[in-house]
Amino acid sequence: MPVHSCPRGRQQTSLGHFLTLRGVNSRNGKNRTLRILRLYSRIGRALAAGGFTHVIAGSNEIFTLVLNGVMNIFTALIYHISPVLIGNILGGTGLFAMLAFGQIQEEM
């Protein structure tokens, strides 16, 4: 990973530099950054273990089936695209809320 100098004069990797710019690092920056990276890792493993899909990536497969005549558009939208879209909206909102709270919890 390339190394960048951050405003505080310390050397950080690209990820550390990005997290600093996002306001993740604070007085105990290393501990806080590590906690957030662990959270990302846990969420990623849970999504992979559950076999959850993303509406944009999964819609490519579904619409290919529709275009090939294997599935009609009603079935694709009602039984495949809509549930994933609702799950992505609710899950994304919850994930964003957790990460935002994690970044400002010390200030509250």
Side-chain angles (χ1 to χ4, degrees):
M1 290 184 137
V3 176
H4 303 283
S5 61
C6 71
R8 296 184 189 129
R10 292 178 284 164
Q11 296 292 318
Q12 294 183 335
T13 62
S14 295
L15 179 61
H17 186 66
F18 172 75
L19 293 173
T20 299
L21 292 176
R22 298 280 302 161
V24 173
N25 287 334
S26 62
R27 293 181 198 126
N28 57 349
K30 287 186 178 181
N31 293 335
R32 193 164 188 190
T33 302
L34 186 59
R35 285 190 309 188
I36 289 175
L37 291 175
R38 285 182 184 152
L39 177 64
Y40 276 132
S41 176
R42 288 179 186 142
I43 291 170
R45 285 186 296 213
L47 292 174
F52 301 111
T53 61
H54 192 271
V55 69
I56 302 300
S59 65
N60 184 28
E61 298 170 1
I62 298 299
F63 287 126
T64 300
L65 293 174
V66 170
L67 291 175
N68 288 330
V70 177
M71 183 184 303
N72 65 25
I73 190 72
F74 178 77
T75 303
L77 291 176
I78 299 300
Y79 294 107
H80 296 284
I81 301 295
S82 296
V84 175
L85 178 63
I86 292 168
N88 285 172
I89 291 170
L90 295 176
T93 303
L95 175 63
F96 178 77
M98 283 191 324
L99 291 174
F101 177 75
Q103 290 180 353
I104 64 163
Q105 72 181 7
E106 293 176 359
E107 298 170 8
M108 293 175 57

